Amino acid sequence: MMNSINNVELVNNLVNKTIEVLKYEVIDKYQVAYEVEKRDVHHLLITLKSQGWKQLSYLSAVDWIADNEFEVVYILFNWDKPVHIQIRARIDRENPVMETILPIFPGAKYYEREVHEFFGIAFPGNPDYQKQLILEGWDDIPPLRKDFDPQAYSDKKFPKREYPQDYSVTDPKNQRKAKRDARKERATSLRGGKTQ
Amino acid sequence: MIVNILVGLGIALFGFVLQTGIAGTNRKIIGRLQKRHGPRWYQEYIDIFKLLSKRSVSHGWIFDFGVIMALGGIIGTAMFMPLTSNILAFENYDNFFIFVYLLAVGMLGMAMSASGSGNPWASIGVMRALTTMLAYEVPFMIVVLTIVKLSGTSSITGIQLFQQTAGNNWFLIALPLGGIVGFLSLMGMLGKKPFETYIAPAEIASGPMVEYGGKQLGMLFILHEISVFIEVSLFVHLFLGGASNIFEFIAKYFVVYTLANLISNVNGRFKIDQVVKFFYKWPLLMAVTQAIVAIYFGWVI
Amino acid sequence: MKSTKFTPRTILSNKEIDRKWWEIGDFFRRNSLWLLMYCTGCCAIELPPAMTSAYDMERLGMGPMATPRQADILLVSGYLSLKTLRRLIYTYEQMSEPRYVVGLGSCTINGGIYHDSHAVINQLDQYIPVDVYVAGCMPNTEAVMNGFVDLIEQIKLKKANGWKKYHKNFDWYKKNQLDSLGEVIVHDEFHQ
C-alpha cells in the first residue's frame, strides 16, 4: 500500500498533466486543493472521476465580496486512496453562472439546487435548479451572501419579545451603587451620626 | 332471558374492570422491572376516562360507526364467556367457535373504521393485524381442535369440567407442546412485543389507532381491554383447567397476563414477515406433532 | 334548616353543572397527560432521562404518544425554523382538545442563540398559545419535570387555557402566522 504523501504527489501529477492550475494548496496529508479556471472544471472532474475519485462529497460556494467574486468548491472523495480533492473555481459575482456537472455526477442535482438557493448561482443544464429545496417561499436576496443582513431580516420578519424591565446581568452597576450607599448610610446612622 | 342478558353484561363489565386493573398493576410491575417508580395502579382507568372526557374529531360516519360496531361486537363476545365452570350467562352457548366468529365482528368493525379514516398508516396497520391473525390462528386452531377431540366437547365449560374431573390433567401439562403453542399464539393475539407489528408506535405510528383521538380512542381502549379479557380467559379455560371459583380465576388470569407482559418487555419487535415465518415454522410444527402424538398414538401425560 | 328527604333540593344551574363536570374532567386530564414530542431542537436530549428511571415521568401519568390525535401536550423542544413551524401549526391544529403546549429552552421564548437567524423564529407564543415555558439553554431535567408539575398545577387552577385563547384570538394568531411564514400551507415536492 502506498503512503499518503505518494498519494498527494500522484494527484498533483495527474492534475498538472490535465489542466493548468492557478493555485495549489496542501491542506494536510489527506487533503489537497486546486484553484482552476472556470472552464477547466468539467474536464478535471471527468479525469479525476475516471481515476477513482468517483464520489462528489460536497458542492458549495464561498462569497468573496471584496473581490466581487464567488468561489464554487467541489470536494471529491476516493474510496481507495485517502485523499480528498477540493477543486475551486472563481466566478463573476454580478452574473453568477456555472455550467452544471449533472452529466458527470448525477447526485449533484440537489447540491446545485441548494447552492442556487443560498447564493443565487445559476446552473444552466440542471433542469430544476431554480426549484426551492430548503427555504420555503423565500422573499429576499439569497441568505448566505455576505451583503445579506440576517439581523435586519429577523427583526423585520419575526416579532421580538419586549421586556418591561431589563433583566440583564451585565449592567447591575447602578443597583450596586445604590446598595453601597444604603449600607454606608446605615453604618453612619449606627455610629451615631445622622438618623433618617 | 333478561336476567341472562344482565348477567352477560355484568360479565363484560367485570372483565373490563378486572383487565384494566391488572393492566395498571402490570404497568407498575414493568416500571419496577426497569428500576422506575412506575405509575399508580389505577392509571389505566384514569387514561380511559380522560380520553372519554376529551373532544374529538370525526372522519365521516364509517369512522364513528366502525368504533361503535367494534365495541358492541366485543361486548357481545364477552357476554358469552364463562367466568368459572358455573358462572355463565347463556347456558349451552359457550361453544369455542362462537368466540372465534364473534371476535371477528369486533376486528372487522375496527378494520372498517380504521380504513374509513383514510390514513395510510391505518391501512398498513389493519393489513398487518390481519396478516398476524392469519399467522397465529393456524397453529392455535390445530391445538384447540386436539383439545376438542380429547375432551369430546367444544363447549368451554365442558372443557373446563373435563380438566377438573379426577384423573384428567390441565391441558397445559397433558399437552406440553400444545401449551407452549397456545401461549405463543396468546402473545400474538394480545399484540405483545415480539408480535407487536401492527401497533408499532415508533414504526407506523400505532397502526390502526393513528387517527383516533378523544372519545373514539377511549372506546378503542375499552374494546382493547375487553378483548384482552376474552383472549386470556380463553387460555385459562382451555389450558389451565378453568376455575371452580372466582378467586382461582383471577389468580390464574393474573399469572398468565403478567407472564405474557414480562416476556413482552424483554423482547424486541419482529418484522411482519418474520412473524408469519415464525408462526408457520416452530409453533405449527409443534402443534402438528402434538396433534399426531395425542390423537393417533394416544400419548397424553 | 336541616335538609331532609322532603325539602326540595336547590337545583344547580347549568353553569354550575358544567363547572362540576369540568372539575371532574380536569382531575382525569391532569393525571394522565400524554406527550407529543416535537423534537426538532437540542432540548430533546433532556427527555430520555425524564422518561426513564432517573426521573420517571410515568409516575405523574405522563408518557409519549405516537400521533397528534392521541396526545394532550405538544412538547416543542427548542428552536423552530420556518419550515418546522409550518408543520408544527399543522400538528397543533390536529390535536384533540383540551390541548396544552410546553415550550422548552430559550429558543422558544425569545430566539435564544438564534435570535438573529434568518430561518428561525423568535417567539413561539406569537403563532400558537403556550401554556408553560421552561427557560434555559438547555434546561435541566429537574427544570423540565418542574415545568410538567407546573402545568399540572395550572390545569388544577384552570389557568391552562391556551387552547381556548387560540379559538378566541384565532384571527390574531393566523395574522401572525401569515406575516412570518407567507403561507401556512405546505408545498412539498416529495409528497405531491
Side-chain angles (χ1 to χ4, degrees):
Chain A
M1 194 176 159
M2 288 185 288
N3 65 40
S4 50
I5 293 297
N6 279 345
N7 276 331
V8 169
E9 280 166 6
L10 188 116
V11 174
N12 220 350
N13 289 337
L14 188 67
V15 173
N16 278 317
K17 238 190 299 176
T18 317
I19 45 122
E20 183 194 343
V21 176
L22 297 179
K23 221 159 99 186
Y24 160 69
E25 187 185 347
V26 180
I27 297 160
D28 57 28
K29 65 178 182 176
Y30 301 116
Q31 282 194 68
V32 273
Y34 299 97
E35 190 168 331
V36 299
E37 288 283 352
K38 177 186 165 189
R39 59 172 188 277
D40 291 334
V41 168
H42 296 75
H43 185 50
L44 184 56
L45 285 178
I46 291 171
T47 313
L48 288 173
K49 193 184 177 186
S50 66
Q51 293 299 317
W53 279 266
K54 54 190 174 192
Q55 183 176 326
L56 179 73
S57 277
Y58 195 54
L59 194 173
S60 186
V62 184
D63 185 4
W64 296 104
I65 195 165
D67 306 344
N68 203 21
E69 273 176 336
F70 280 126
E71 188 178 66
V72 188
V73 184
Y74 301 84
I75 301 178
L76 298 183
F77 177 72
N78 190 339
W79 284 91
D80 301 322
K81 297 190 181 79
V83 183
H84 289 261
I85 303 178
Q86 285 186 22
I87 296 162
R88 302 167 180 170
R90 295 251 176 158
I91 57 175
D92 184 25
R93 195 169 184 280
E94 300 305 319
N95 182 24
V97 180
M98 183 74 204
E99 284 293 323
T100 181
I101 56 161
L102 216 55
I104 309 166
F105 292 107
K109 186 178 174 186
Y110 294 100
Y111 286 133
E112 289 182 352
R113 281 172 68 176
E114 191 194 359
V115 171
H116 174 260
E117 200 159 53
F118 282 114
F119 292 93
I121 299 173
F123 289 91
N126 185 341
D128 39 60
Y129 76 89
Q130 275 174 323
K131 272 194 192 169
Q132 65 175 15
L133 182 68
I134 292 167
L135 305 168
E136 291 176 344
W138 186 251
D139 54 357
D140 211 319
I141 62 168
L144 290 195
R145 288 193 179 193
K146 287 277 188 275
D147 49 356
F148 173 78
D149 185 359
Q151 177 80 64
Y153 185 83
S154 176
D155 289 348
K156 187 184 77 185
K157 212 67 190 282
F158 315 125
K160 286 260 182 282
R161 185 178 292 279
E162 279 160 16
Y163 292 100
Q165 198 184 333
D166 199 0
Y167 290 107
S168 169
V169 287
T170 52
D171 181 32
K173 270 182 191 168
N174 295 331
Q175 278 181 14
R176 250 184 224 162
K177 190 169 181 296
K179 265 185 198 166
R180 209 164 43 228
D181 289 348
R183 213 164 36 230
K184 221 178 253 173
E185 201 168 325
R186 187 168 153 70
T188 35
S189 76
L190 283 177
R191 262 186 251 117
K194 276 181 275 177
T195 47
Q196 288 144 351
Chain B
M1 190 63 197
I2 292 171
V3 175
N4 285 352
I5 291 174
L6 283 178
V7 171
L9 286 175
I11 288 175
L13 184 69
F14 173 78
F16 167 69
V17 172
L18 173 73
Q19 165 56 28
T20 314
I22 287 183
T25 318
N26 263 287
R27 274 173 73 175
K28 187 100 185 163
I29 291 172
I30 297 306
R32 288 297 161 90
L33 198 71
Q34 297 170 347
K35 300 209 166 143
R36 287 186 290 126
H37 194 267
R40 286 152 290 200
W41 69 269
Y42 52 89
Q43 186 64 46
E44 289 274 310
Y45 294 105
I46 297 181
D47 286 351
I48 288 171
F49 290 124
K50 178 210 68 174
L51 284 170
L52 292 175
S53 81
K54 285 189 78 169
R55 296 181 186 176
S56 52
V57 287
S58 172
H59 296 280
W61 69 272
I62 288 187
F63 183 76
D64 298 339
F65 173 72
V67 179
I68 294 168
M69 176 180 152
L71 186 58
I74 285 290
I75 290 177
T77 319
M79 284 164 73
F80 289 94
M81 178 56 74
L83 281 185
T84 66
S85 50
N86 42 25
I87 301 178
L88 173 61
F90 302 97
E91 205 75 45
N92 299 330
Y93 283 99
D94 59 340
N95 200 301
F96 172 74
F97 297 100
I98 283 183
F99 296 106
V100 175
Y101 279 105
L102 278 182
L103 265 176
V105 176
M107 292 300 144
L108 211 66
M110 190 160 160
M112 197 173 88
S113 161
S115 311
S117 71
N119 194 312
W121 294 131
S123 312
I124 292 174
V126 167
M127 194 202 72
R128 285 186 177 195
L130 295 179
T131 315
T132 314
M133 213 162 150
L134 214 65
Y136 67 69
E137 292 255 288
V138 178
F140 187 64
M141 276 298 164
I142 292 174
V143 172
V144 172
L145 289 178
T146 313
I147 289 174
V148 169
K149 175 79 175 62
L150 290 179
S151 56
T153 171
S154 62
S155 148
I156 299 286
T157 318
I159 293 172
Q160 286 186 59
L161 289 174
F162 181 80
Q163 295 175 70
Q164 286 167 13
T165 44
N168 290 315
N169 227 330
W170 290 358
F171 277 122
L172 185 71
I173 296 163
L175 310 171
L177 284 178
I180 294 170
V181 174
F183 194 76
L184 286 172
S185 304
L186 178 75
M187 301 271 295
M189 278 183 216
L190 300 180
K192 289 293 172 194
K193 255 305 169 29
F195 316 115
E196 198 207 13
T197 37
Y198 58 95
I199 305 291
E203 192 184 343
I204 52 170
S206 71
M209 305 195 294
V210 64
E211 276 293 323
Y212 295 97
K215 292 182 177 57
Q216 284 116 338
L217 189 64
M219 281 195 270
L220 279 195
F221 266 62
I222 296 174
L223 179 153
H224 178 250
E225 305 291 5
I226 297 180
S227 67
V228 169
F229 165 72
I230 293 167
E231 284 148 3
V232 178
S233 312
L234 268 183
F235 185 84
V236 169
H237 294 327
L238 288 176
F239 292 97
L240 292 181
S244 52
N245 63 50
I246 196 89
F247 300 107
E248 195 187 339
F249 174 75
I250 293 174
K252 283 179 180 175
Y253 186 101
F254 182 79
V255 169
V256 171
Y257 186 73
T258 310
L259 193 63
N261 235 337
L262 290 179
I263 293 174
S264 162
N265 265 276
V266 291
N267 272 302
R269 185 170 56 236
F270 276 163
K271 284 188 272 186
I272 184 70
D273 48 335
Q274 287 171 327
V275 170
V276 177
K277 257 185 215 160
F278 175 80
F279 272 116
Y280 283 173
K281 207 193 271 169
W282 298 112
L284 191 61
L285 193 70
M286 279 153 72
V288 171
T289 316
Q290 183 69 79
I292 291 171
V293 166
I295 294 173
Y296 289 100
F297 297 95
W299 296 343
V300 175
I301 301 167
Chain C
M1 186 176 70
K2 200 183 165 215
S3 89
T4 62
K5 208 157 97 182
F6 302 105
T7 48
R9 289 221 187 104
T10 49
I11 296 164
L12 294 171
S13 66
N14 273 342
K15 216 173 168 184
E16 197 74 357
I17 293 170
D18 207 39
R19 193 183 64 81
K20 283 207 167 7
W21 274 114
W22 270 103
E23 264 172 22
I24 295 170
D26 275 344
F27 170 77
F28 291 122
R29 280 190 285 271
R30 72 169 182 264
N31 280 307
S32 157
L33 290 166
W34 289 347
L35 304 162
L36 179 70
M37 295 168 177
Y38 199 82
C39 294
T40 53
C42 19
C43 295
I45 204 71
E46 293 300 323
L47 292 172
M51 276 193 294
T52 51
S53 51
Y55 292 91
D56 185 25
M57 62 166 75
E58 204 184 6
R59 75 202 144 93
L60 303 176
M62 309 177 79
M65 269 289 143
T67 74
R69 300 259 186 228
Q70 302 167 359
D72 303 299
I73 301 182
L74 177 58
L75 191 74
V76 186
S77 57
Y79 63 87
L80 286 160
S81 70
L82 293 179
K83 204 170 180 173
T84 46
L85 181 63
R86 281 195 187 92
R87 275 80 178 169
L88 185 83
I89 292 166
Y90 265 48
T91 311
Y92 180 68
E93 290 182 353
Q94 276 184 7
M95 289 169 69
S96 44
E97 291 164 345
R99 52 195 175 193
Y100 313 103
V101 180
V102 176
L104 293 189
S106 37
C107 294
T108 50
I109 300 174
N110 58 8
I113 58 168
Y114 300 103
H115 66 97
D116 59 349
S117 167
H118 64 270
V120 178
I121 60 152
N122 285 336
Q123 270 189 74
L124 179 58
D125 55 9
Q126 294 281 321
Y127 311 101
I128 56 173
V130 181
D131 293 300
V132 171
Y133 277 123
V134 181
C137 185
M138 50 194 64
N140 249 352
T141 316
E142 283 97 337
V144 175
M145 291 304 290
N146 198 30
F148 292 146
V149 174
D150 276 359
L151 180 68
I152 290 171
E153 197 66 19
Q154 280 194 22
I155 297 171
K156 195 175 178 182
L157 301 172
K158 298 191 183 59
K159 279 182 187 162
N161 289 329
W163 58 282
K164 283 183 190 162
K165 249 191 264 168
Y166 193 67
H167 279 292
K168 215 163 128 196
N169 309 325
F170 188 69
D171 295 331
W172 186 78
Y173 283 114
K174 271 285 157 230
K175 189 183 154 295
N176 282 341
Q177 290 166 10
L178 290 176
D179 280 353
S180 291
L181 295 175
E183 58 176 346
V184 182
I185 300 161
V186 173
H187 298 290
D188 193 337
E189 72 170 297
F190 300 106
H191 293 101
Q192 272 170 1

